[in-house]
Amino acid sequence: MRDRLLKGIMEKIPYTKLNGHPEKRLPGNINVSFHFIEGESLLLLLDHYGICASTGSACSSGSLDPSHVLMAIGLPHEIAHGSLRLSLGDLNKEEDVDYVLDVLPQIVQRLRDMSPLYESFIKEGGK
Amino acid sequence: MYSDKVMDHFMNPRNVGEIENADGIGEVGNAKCGDIMKIYLKVEDNRIVDVKFKTFGCGSAIASSSMATELIKGKTLEEAWELTNVAVAEALDGLPPAKMHCSVLAEQAIHRAINDYRIKQGLEPWEDRFSGDDDHHHHE
Protein backbone atom coordinates (compact mmCIF):
# COMPACT_ATOMS: atom_id res chain seq x y z
CA MET A 1 0.00 0.00 0.00
CA ARG A 2 2.86 2.33 0.90
CA ASP A 3 4.57 1.55 -2.39
CA ARG A 4 1.40 2.29 -4.36
CA LEU A 5 0.99 5.61 -2.54
CA LEU A 6 4.62 6.57 -3.10
CA LYS A 7 4.57 5.53 -6.76
CA GLY A 8 1.35 7.50 -7.29
CA ILE A 9 2.78 10.62 -5.66
CA MET A 10 5.97 10.46 -7.70
CA GLU A 11 4.03 9.91 -10.93
CA LYS A 12 1.31 12.50 -10.38
CA ILE A 13 3.33 15.34 -8.87
CA PRO A 14 6.31 16.65 -10.84
CA TYR A 15 9.34 18.14 -9.06
CA THR A 16 8.99 15.83 -6.10
CA LYS A 17 11.94 14.31 -4.29
CA LEU A 18 11.83 11.15 -2.22
CA ASN A 19 13.77 11.63 1.01
CA GLY A 20 15.58 8.54 2.22
CA HIS A 21 16.04 5.17 0.63
CA PRO A 22 13.38 3.81 -1.78
CA GLU A 23 13.26 0.43 -0.02
CA LYS A 24 15.34 0.51 3.15
CA ARG A 25 12.84 2.42 5.24
CA LEU A 26 10.06 1.83 7.75
CA PRO A 27 7.22 -0.10 6.08
CA GLY A 28 4.50 2.54 6.41
CA ASN A 29 6.65 5.61 5.97
CA ILE A 30 6.88 8.10 3.15
CA ASN A 31 8.90 11.29 3.26
CA VAL A 32 8.95 13.48 0.17
CA SER A 33 9.77 17.08 -0.67
CA PHE A 34 7.70 19.10 -3.09
CA HIS A 35 9.74 21.84 -4.68
CA PHE A 36 8.53 25.48 -4.54
CA ILE A 37 6.09 25.09 -1.64
CA GLU A 38 6.26 25.31 2.11
CA GLY A 39 5.29 22.53 4.49
CA GLU A 40 3.03 24.27 6.97
CA SER A 41 0.64 25.63 4.35
CA LEU A 42 0.61 22.16 2.80
CA LEU A 43 -0.32 20.61 6.14
CA LEU A 44 -3.09 23.14 6.77
CA LEU A 45 -4.68 22.29 3.43
CA LEU A 46 -4.27 18.53 3.93
CA ASP A 47 -5.85 18.89 7.35
CA HIS A 48 -8.75 20.76 5.77
CA TYR A 49 -9.31 17.75 3.52
CA GLY A 50 -9.06 15.36 6.46
CA ILE A 51 -5.59 14.03 5.74
CA CYS A 52 -3.29 13.79 8.76
CA ALA A 53 0.38 14.21 7.95
CA SER A 54 3.51 15.77 9.31
CA THR A 55 6.24 18.03 8.07
CA GLY A 56 9.84 18.81 8.78
CA SER A 57 9.20 22.43 9.54
CA ALA A 58 7.45 21.56 12.80
CA CYS A 59 5.80 24.97 12.89
CA SER A 60 3.31 24.10 15.59
CA SER A 61 6.00 22.71 17.87
CA GLY A 62 7.43 26.20 18.14
CA SER A 63 10.40 25.64 15.90
CA LEU A 64 10.27 27.30 12.50
CA ASP A 65 13.33 25.51 11.25
CA PRO A 66 13.15 22.73 8.71
CA SER A 67 13.93 19.16 9.75
CA HIS A 68 17.51 18.87 10.99
CA VAL A 69 17.60 15.34 9.59
CA LEU A 70 16.72 16.50 6.08
CA MET A 71 19.24 19.32 6.40
CA ALA A 72 21.85 16.82 7.59
CA ILE A 73 21.34 14.59 4.55
CA GLY A 74 22.12 17.62 2.43
CA LEU A 75 18.77 19.06 1.34
CA PRO A 76 18.83 22.79 0.61
CA HIS A 77 16.56 24.91 2.83
CA GLU A 78 13.85 25.52 0.28
CA ILE A 79 13.49 21.79 -0.41
CA ALA A 80 13.58 20.83 3.26
CA HIS A 81 10.83 23.40 3.93
CA GLY A 82 8.55 21.60 1.47
CA SER A 83 8.84 18.19 3.02
CA LEU A 84 5.93 15.97 3.94
CA ARG A 85 5.79 12.80 5.98
CA LEU A 86 2.92 10.39 5.42
CA SER A 87 2.62 7.35 7.66
CA LEU A 88 0.32 4.46 6.92
CA GLY A 89 -0.95 2.21 9.67
CA ASP A 90 -2.97 -0.99 9.86
CA LEU A 91 -6.22 0.99 9.91
CA ASN A 92 -5.55 2.54 6.51
CA LYS A 93 -7.41 1.15 3.52
CA GLU A 94 -6.73 1.21 -0.20
CA GLU A 95 -9.43 3.90 -0.50
CA ASP A 96 -7.33 6.15 1.72
CA VAL A 97 -4.47 5.85 -0.75
CA ASP A 98 -6.85 6.69 -3.62
CA TYR A 99 -8.13 9.70 -1.71
CA VAL A 100 -4.65 11.07 -0.99
CA LEU A 101 -3.63 10.51 -4.61
CA ASP A 102 -6.68 12.48 -5.68
CA VAL A 103 -6.36 15.40 -3.26
CA LEU A 104 -2.61 15.84 -2.76
CA PRO A 105 -1.70 16.74 -6.37
CA GLN A 106 -4.42 19.42 -6.39
CA ILE A 107 -3.20 20.91 -3.13
CA VAL A 108 0.42 20.97 -4.25
CA GLN A 109 -0.57 22.66 -7.52
CA ARG A 110 -2.72 25.20 -5.68
CA LEU A 111 0.24 26.23 -3.52
CA ARG A 112 2.62 26.23 -6.47
CA ASP A 113 0.29 28.56 -8.35
CA MET A 114 0.75 30.96 -5.42
CA SER A 115 4.51 30.52 -5.18
CA PRO A 116 6.97 33.11 -6.52
CA LEU A 117 9.61 30.34 -6.66
CA TYR A 118 7.44 28.30 -9.02
CA GLU A 119 6.69 31.40 -11.07
CA SER A 120 10.42 32.11 -11.58
CA PHE A 121 11.05 28.46 -12.33
CA ILE A 122 8.39 28.40 -15.06
CA LYS A 123 9.57 31.73 -16.50
CA GLU A 124 13.10 30.40 -16.72
CA GLY A 125 11.77 27.59 -18.88
CA GLY A 126 11.38 24.96 -16.20
CA LYS A 127 15.05 24.23 -15.62
CA MET B 1 -3.74 28.08 16.44
CA TYR B 2 -4.98 30.54 13.79
CA SER B 3 -7.97 32.88 13.94
CA ASP B 4 -10.95 32.28 11.64
CA LYS B 5 -9.89 35.33 9.65
CA VAL B 6 -6.39 33.98 9.08
CA MET B 7 -7.87 30.67 7.94
CA ASP B 8 -10.33 32.46 5.66
CA HIS B 9 -7.55 34.48 3.99
CA PHE B 10 -5.38 31.37 3.76
CA MET B 11 -8.09 29.14 2.28
CA ASN B 12 -9.48 31.86 0.01
CA PRO B 13 -6.62 34.26 -0.56
CA ARG B 14 -7.53 37.57 -2.23
CA ASN B 15 -5.44 39.10 -5.01
CA VAL B 16 -3.27 36.08 -5.80
CA GLY B 17 -1.40 36.40 -9.06
CA GLU B 18 0.92 38.69 -10.89
CA ILE B 19 0.45 41.90 -12.90
CA GLU B 20 1.95 42.05 -16.38
CA ASN B 21 4.05 45.21 -16.72
CA ALA B 22 3.54 46.11 -13.07
CA ASP B 23 4.49 49.67 -12.10
CA GLY B 24 6.18 48.47 -8.93
CA ILE B 25 7.36 45.07 -7.71
CA GLY B 26 8.61 44.26 -4.23
CA GLU B 27 10.07 40.94 -3.14
CA VAL B 28 11.28 40.17 0.39
CA GLY B 29 12.26 37.18 2.47
CA ASN B 30 14.29 34.16 1.50
CA ALA B 31 13.85 30.44 1.15
CA LYS B 32 16.14 29.78 4.10
CA CYS B 33 13.64 31.30 6.49
CA GLY B 34 10.79 29.65 4.64
CA ASP B 35 8.97 32.77 3.44
CA ILE B 36 9.18 34.75 0.23
CA MET B 37 6.62 37.43 -0.55
CA LYS B 38 6.30 39.22 -3.87
CA ILE B 39 3.89 42.12 -4.41
CA TYR B 40 2.93 43.71 -7.73
CA LEU B 41 1.41 47.19 -7.97
CA LYS B 42 -0.49 48.96 -10.72
CA VAL B 43 -0.41 52.70 -10.01
CA GLU B 44 -2.47 55.45 -11.61
CA ASP B 45 -2.43 59.10 -10.46
CA ASN B 46 -0.50 58.14 -7.33
CA ARG B 47 -3.16 55.61 -6.39
CA ILE B 48 -2.87 51.81 -6.22
CA VAL B 49 -5.50 50.71 -8.72
CA ASP B 50 -4.52 47.05 -8.63
CA VAL B 51 -2.34 44.83 -6.49
CA LYS B 52 -1.44 41.13 -6.68
CA PHE B 53 0.83 38.86 -4.72
CA LYS B 54 2.69 35.56 -4.84
CA THR B 55 3.89 34.02 -1.60
CA PHE B 56 5.96 30.98 -0.67
CA GLY B 57 5.40 30.36 2.99
CA CYS B 58 3.26 29.18 5.83
CA GLY B 59 -0.44 29.79 6.28
CA SER B 60 0.03 33.08 8.09
CA ALA B 61 2.43 34.36 5.42
CA ILE B 62 -0.22 33.72 2.76
CA ALA B 63 -2.98 35.21 4.93
CA SER B 64 -0.83 38.29 5.71
CA SER B 65 -0.18 38.87 2.00
CA SER B 66 -3.85 38.51 1.20
CA MET B 67 -4.96 40.91 3.96
CA ALA B 68 -2.21 43.45 3.25
CA THR B 69 -3.12 43.62 -0.44
CA GLU B 70 -6.78 44.11 0.49
CA LEU B 71 -5.84 46.95 2.84
CA ILE B 72 -3.82 48.93 0.26
CA LYS B 73 -6.03 48.45 -2.78
CA GLY B 74 -7.44 51.81 -3.88
CA LYS B 75 -5.20 53.72 -1.46
CA THR B 76 -2.72 56.45 -2.36
CA LEU B 77 0.96 55.52 -2.19
CA GLU B 78 1.34 57.65 0.95
CA GLU B 79 -1.56 55.85 2.64
CA ALA B 80 -0.25 52.43 1.61
CA TRP B 81 3.21 53.33 2.93
CA GLU B 82 1.69 53.97 6.37
CA LEU B 83 0.29 50.44 6.65
CA THR B 84 2.10 48.74 9.54
CA ASN B 85 2.59 45.07 10.23
CA VAL B 86 0.58 45.50 13.44
CA ALA B 87 -2.37 46.81 11.43
CA VAL B 88 -2.16 43.75 9.14
CA ALA B 89 -2.03 41.39 12.13
CA GLU B 90 -4.94 43.19 13.83
CA ALA B 91 -7.03 43.02 10.66
CA LEU B 92 -6.48 39.25 10.78
CA ASP B 93 -7.66 39.16 14.43
CA GLY B 94 -4.11 38.49 15.52
CA LEU B 95 -1.25 36.16 14.60
CA PRO B 96 0.59 33.73 16.90
CA PRO B 97 3.73 35.45 18.32
CA ALA B 98 6.07 33.19 16.31
CA LYS B 99 4.24 34.26 13.16
CA MET B 100 4.31 38.05 13.60
CA HIS B 101 7.28 38.20 11.23
CA CYS B 102 4.86 37.25 8.42
CA SER B 103 3.04 40.55 8.88
CA VAL B 104 6.40 42.35 8.93
CA LEU B 105 7.24 40.78 5.59
CA ALA B 106 3.96 42.09 4.16
CA GLU B 107 4.78 45.63 5.27
CA GLN B 108 8.32 45.33 3.87
CA ALA B 109 7.11 43.90 0.56
CA ILE B 110 4.69 46.81 0.11
CA HIS B 111 7.43 49.32 0.93
CA ARG B 112 9.78 47.70 -1.52
CA ALA B 113 7.14 47.70 -4.27
CA ILE B 114 6.35 51.36 -3.65
CA ASN B 115 10.05 52.27 -3.75
CA ASP B 116 10.50 50.22 -6.92
CA TYR B 117 7.75 52.37 -8.42
CA ARG B 118 9.35 55.58 -7.15
CA ILE B 119 12.76 54.64 -8.54
CA LYS B 120 11.22 53.78 -11.91
CA GLN B 121 9.57 57.22 -11.87
CA GLY B 122 12.93 58.88 -11.18
CA LEU B 123 11.95 59.74 -7.60
CA GLU B 124 13.95 59.25 -4.41
CA PRO B 125 13.00 56.06 -2.56
CA TRP B 126 11.43 56.62 0.85
CA GLU B 127 13.21 55.40 3.95
CA ASP B 128 11.46 53.14 6.42
CA ARG B 129 12.23 51.67 9.82
CA PHE B 130 13.77 48.64 8.12
CA SER B 131 16.33 50.62 6.12
CA GLY B 132 19.70 48.94 6.37
CA ASP B 133 18.03 45.73 7.56
CA ASP B 134 18.04 44.11 4.17
CA ASP B 135 15.84 41.02 3.86
CA HIS B 136 16.42 40.23 7.47
CA HIS B 137 13.75 39.17 9.85
CA HIS B 138 14.10 37.72 13.28
CA HIS B 139 12.98 34.38 14.55
CA GLU B 140 12.44 34.89 18.24
Side-chain angles (χ1 to χ4, degrees):
Chain A
M1 203 188 293
R2 192 274 311 274
D3 292 342
R4 186 165 79 85
L5 179 57
L6 179 58
K7 188 164 173 279
I9 290 172
M10 300 305 286
E11 279 173 5
K12 287 186 161 201
I13 309 177
Y15 317 117
T16 300
K17 183 186 181 308
L18 170 67
N19 297 315
H21 195 277
E23 287 138 27
K24 292 178 188 163
R25 59 191 308 129
L26 289 173
N29 167 279
I30 289 177
N31 192 317
V32 287
S33 288
F34 302 111
H35 292 219
F36 321 115
I37 65 173
E38 194 273 344
E40 193 233 28
S41 45
L42 177 62
L43 277 195
L44 284 173
L45 282 172
L46 285 170
D47 182 58
H48 178 78
Y49 288 97
I51 299 170
C52 304
S54 184
T55 164
S57 10
C59 289
S60 51
S61 77
S63 160
L64 298 167
D65 296 328
S67 157
H68 63 275
V69 176
L70 295 182
M71 296 299 293
I73 62 171
L75 259 64
H77 276 94
E78 63 270 32
I79 311 289
H81 271 296
S83 72
L84 177 73
R85 188 177 80 228
L86 290 166
S87 303
L88 291 167
D90 53 8
L91 293 178
N92 284 116
K93 299 191 169 69
E94 292 292 341
E95 297 95 90
D96 298 330
V97 173
D98 295 333
Y99 181 65
V100 172
L101 288 177
D102 179 37
V103 171
L104 184 60
Q106 298 175 43
I107 290 177
V108 170
Q109 194 54 46
R110 176 167 162 182
L111 290 171
R112 282 181 175 166
D113 287 342
M114 252 187 256
S115 166
L117 295 174
Y118 187 62
E119 177 191 309
S120 322
F121 174 77
I122 295 298
K123 278 186 182 158
E124 285 160 17
K127 288 189 199 101
Chain B
M1 169 171 143
Y2 286 139
S3 70
D4 290 346
K5 228 167 208 174
V6 171
M7 284 310 291
D8 174 37
H9 276 263
F10 167 66
M11 295 301 297
N12 310 292
R14 282 65 150 179
N15 310 311
V16 175
E18 53 189 303
I19 297 175
E20 291 282 324
N21 306 313
D23 297 307
I25 300 176
E27 184 172 331
V28 293
N30 60 63
K32 192 175 172 209
C33 295
D35 311 279
I36 299 173
M37 216 176 266
K38 192 169 182 182
I39 288 191
Y40 300 82
L41 300 177
K42 188 88 199 154
V43 180
E44 276 171 25
D45 300 328
N46 200 47
R47 197 170 281 278
I48 296 169
V49 292
D50 197 12
V51 50
K52 297 270 187 227
F53 80 86
K54 288 259 175 113
T55 291
F56 161 88
C58 62
S60 56
I62 291 169
S64 295
S65 319
S66 168
M67 179 56 86
T69 53
E70 281 288 275
L71 290 171
I72 62 167
K73 206 183 226 180
K75 298 282 170 65
T76 64
L77 292 177
E78 287 79 6
E79 288 165 342
W81 185 268
E82 295 301 321
L83 179 71
T84 64
N85 79 294
V86 173
V88 174
E90 278 173 1
L92 288 167
D93 292 338
L95 286 172
K99 298 290 183 179
M100 278 304 283
H101 73 273
C102 296
S103 62
V104 175
L105 277 183
E107 180 185 339
Q108 287 178 314
I110 290 168
H111 285 180
R112 198 158 289 186
I114 290 174
N115 273 339
D116 180 54
Y117 168 78
R118 289 184 60 85
I119 290 164
K120 282 177 181 158
Q121 298 296 310
L123 301 166
E124 280 286 307
W126 287 330
E127 285 207 4
D128 66 12
R129 61 196 172 99
F130 308 109
S131 296
D133 193 23
D134 196 39
D135 268 4
H136 186 76
H137 61 277
H138 301 276
H139 281 171
E140 280 87 351

